Amino acid sequence: MAETAKQEPVITMWSKEFTYDRWMKTKGIPIHTGYYVEDLRTVELEWWEERQCKAAFIQLLGQEGVTSARVMEIAPGKSLPPMKFALDELVYVLSGRGLTTVWAGERKPKKSFEWQAHALFLVPRNHYHVFSNMQGDKPVRLFHYSYMPMAMSALPDPELYFNNPFEPRNGATDGDFYSEAKLIQAKEFDEGLGLRGFWYGNFFPDMRAWNKLDANERRGAGGKSVFIQFPNSELTAHMSVFAPKTYKKAHRHGPGRAIIIPAGEGYSIMWEEGKEKIVCPWHECSMVTPPNKWFHQHFNAGGDMARYLALHPPMQFHGHAEKIEDRAKDQIEYPNEDPWVRQKFQEELAKRGIKSEMPEECYTNPDYEWSKAMGKQ
């Protein structure tokens, strides 16, 4: 007993270093931290012998202990070794064209599908998969997202997650698993979140071109959104699109979101209530993660429509109030925002030789109807 007491515990109470953090450090590849990544297509990678490719982990402030992100690069004409992962994983194609083959055990048929830049798809849990680069002259870069930190906090043994012999009873790739997504109408309209329906599927071929959107006036700027549910999984996402020379309302929620930019040029402002504001510039394939309960606001400072794709954390971390009246505390209406926000936006547009298209009335009328300025939604 005395000898045991002298040993330093591996995990200390209230430690902010999680099991997943310690696992990452053993892999010998970069771990990129901070508030944002300017360009996931050019972020520094190093060779990961286990996966036979260059890779890096992305752990921005606000992801810790909740969600996992990494970038992997496949050399021209190469395929990665077969891998089986115990958790559902979302993959966003940052650049290139390729092929994914997915299967569940030797008795189950293999399913293969092609993808290109800005595709989004699900690799189901407990399925083997192989990623291949179909280009002979350029590497491919993939962004991977999962709930691995949460899983490892509960079950900290890495061997449980990779190439575990467990086989699912039913193959998730049976039938039309990678067919076109389907629109599911919500049973009840959620006025607070603007949710009328969502798209149900696991393969979205090009998030830059996806136009099956619904009006989402609650966030301002006449924006539209699509909510995404992946089959047999708690992974969810949404994408918002908003006009050039406009910006969204500031809001806050729980931690763990990975926000990727499929198209557009602009910046986001993030701040903890009562503290200094942080500006995060973005363009195609940038990534931003708002920390827990930090206000954040998205600005389209370019001349084209902007899109941001938010990969959601588990529902337990969404951070939305149950009652609509309580949600007002987590959103700042334009008339109530810090005057610096509007001034900063005008300055950024002036640098580009353009002017704001925010209607003056939105700064005085909290009930302003955006359809007046942006066309009927």
Side-chain angles (χ1 to χ4, degrees):
M1 290 291 291
E3 288 296 319
T4 301
K6 292 179 181 179
Q7 296 179 3
E8 183 178 350
V10 176
I11 301 174
T12 58
M13 186 176 291
W14 314 123
S15 172
K16 291 186 178 180
E17 182 179 64
F18 302 101
T19 300
Y20 175 77
D21 299 327
R22 290 188 288 274
W23 174 80
M24 278 196 302
K25 291 177 180 178
T26 67
K27 299 304 159 184
I29 59 176
I31 302 173
H32 296 284
T33 60
Y35 296 105
Y36 68 99
V37 175
E38 182 179 354
D39 197 330
L40 292 166
R41 298 167 300 183
T42 58
V43 70
E44 179 189 0
L45 310 177
E46 292 185 9
W47 184 254
W48 190 0
E49 182 65 24
E50 181 181 345
R51 301 295 178 90
Q52 290 293 292
C53 68
K54 290 183 176 180
F57 293 109
I58 310 293
Q59 182 158 334
L60 302 184
L61 188 66
Q63 285 185 261
E64 302 99 322
V66 182
T67 57
S68 164
R70 72 181 185 280
V71 175
M72 297 177 65
E73 184 175 276
I74 309 173
K78 299 294 184 179
S79 295
L80 300 186
M83 175 62 64
K84 183 181 181 184
F85 186 43
L87 305 177
D88 293 331
E89 186 170 65
L90 293 179
V91 179
Y92 183 81
V93 183
L94 299 168
S95 63
R97 295 183 298 105
L99 178 78
T100 295
T101 301
V102 182
W103 71 99
E106 297 300 326
R107 299 180 182 179
K108 297 291 183 179
K110 294 183 177 181
K111 185 77 171 183
S112 296
F113 58 96
E114 296 182 13
W115 37 258
Q116 61 183 358
H118 303 292
L120 173 69
F121 58 89
L122 172 74
V123 176
R125 60 190 178 276
N126 294 310
H127 279 62
Y128 291 95
H129 54 274
V130 172
F131 299 113
S132 302
N133 184 350
M134 295 173 61
Q135 303 170 138
D137 59 340
K138 298 178 182 178
V140 157
R141 280 207 178 193
L142 304 176
F143 177 85
H144 301 253
Y145 178 87
S146 75
Y147 299 159
M148 190 174 176
M150 289 189 63
M152 292 195 78
S153 289
L155 295 171
D157 304 305
E159 59 268 23
L160 293 174
Y161 301 98
F162 304 103
N163 297 323
N164 189 317
F166 170 78
E167 291 190 9
R169 184 171 299 178
N170 298 313
T173 52
D174 295 347
D176 58 353
F177 187 71
Y178 285 104
S179 61
E180 185 177 358
K182 301 175 182 178
L183 175 63
I184 306 295
Q185 294 292 342
K187 293 182 179 179
E188 296 181 1
F189 172 56
D190 189 326
E191 183 179 350
L193 297 179
L195 177 60
R196 292 180 174 86
F198 58 90
W199 286 89
Y200 183 82
N202 49 39
F203 180 63
F204 297 80
D206 188 349
M207 299 307 292
R208 286 173 59 96
W210 187 265
N211 58 3
K212 299 172 181 178
L213 307 165
D214 197 4
N216 186 6
E217 293 190 9
R218 178 174 179 264
R219 290 283 188 245
K224 293 185 177 182
S225 298
V226 55
F227 291 84
I228 300 171
Q229 174 71 57
F230 299 93
N232 194 30
S233 173
E234 291 195 14
L235 285 165
T236 59
H238 80 274
M239 184 175 67
S240 289
V241 181
F242 63 116
K245 296 167 278 187
T246 66
Y247 64 92
K248 308 295 285 290
K249 297 176 183 179
H251 62 285
R252 60 183 176 182
H253 45 58
R257 278 168 175 74
I259 299 176
I260 298 174
I261 308 298
E265 175 192 357
Y267 61 95
S268 296
I269 296 176
M270 306 192 302
W271 71 97
E272 189 174 5
E273 189 168 11
K275 296 188 178 181
E276 181 182 0
K277 293 179 172 64
I278 296 169
V279 178
C280 305
W282 46 254
H283 53 71
E284 182 182 346
C285 288
S286 298
M287 175 182 170
V288 179
T289 297
N292 184 36
K293 287 296 182 181
W294 280 37
F295 281 106
H296 51 283
Q297 201 163 0
H298 307 302
F299 300 77
N300 184 347
D304 299 312
M305 300 294 286
R307 297 178 175 234
Y308 60 87
L309 173 65
L311 308 181
H312 298 165
M315 181 60 73
Q316 298 94 314
F317 291 90
H318 276 208
H320 296 300
E322 292 297 324
K323 297 180 180 180
I324 294 175
E325 54 267 28
D326 293 336
R327 291 176 185 164
K329 302 174 184 177
D330 293 330
Q331 178 167 290
I332 301 175
E333 302 299 322
Y334 294 120
N336 301 326
E337 69 184 13
D338 183 343
W340 177 87
V341 171
R342 184 178 180 184
Q343 179 183 346
K344 169 70 174 176
F345 184 59
Q346 292 172 338
E347 290 174 353
E348 289 296 324
L349 295 182
K351 294 177 183 178
R352 297 164 172 81
I354 54 180
K355 294 183 179 181
S356 172
E357 292 193 0
M358 296 289 289
E360 285 294 327
E361 188 181 345
C362 78
Y363 293 110
T364 58
N365 179 11
D367 298 318
Y368 177 76
E369 295 181 11
W370 277 89
S371 56
K372 292 181 181 180
M374 314 307 292
K376 192 66 177 175
Q377 300 293 329

